[in-house]
Amino acid sequence: MTVDREIIARLEADCPGWHVWLGVSSLWYARRVLSSPPVIVRAANLTELREAISEHASRGTQGNRGDPDSGPSNP
């Protein structure tokens, strides 16, 4: 399977703070950058991955140390 880097770049631009890649198992993964604990979602295709990212965002990411959207970190 050929990975279209423009599609990945577009998804990462639409979902700031997420890093996207295609795994060796042909599943798509996204990792929330600088989250603690680490946050990773996966899906069979990019549409489902975008939905998984949106679902995680709707639950809120407050309290993740180092998360750029959560304000100052409290060690």
Side-chain angles (χ1 to χ4, degrees), residues 11 15 38 40 45 50 65-66 68 70:
L11 180 57
C15 304
I40 297 175
N45 58 55
R50 183 183 297 272
R65 289 178 43 190
S70 68

Side-chain angles (χ1 to χ4, degrees), residues 16-55:
W18 290 87
H19 171 68
V20 176
W21 74 95
L22 179 62
V24 295
S25 62
S26 295
L27 286 177
W28 285 95
Y29 292 85
R31 175 181 61 89
R32 184 76 172 130
V33 177
L34 299 176
S35 65
S36 179
V39 174
I40 297 175
V41 295
R42 68 177 181 216
N45 58 55
L46 289 172
T47 300
E48 291 175 7
L49 187 65
R50 183 183 297 272
E51 291 170 3
I53 292 169
S54 294
E55 181 180 315

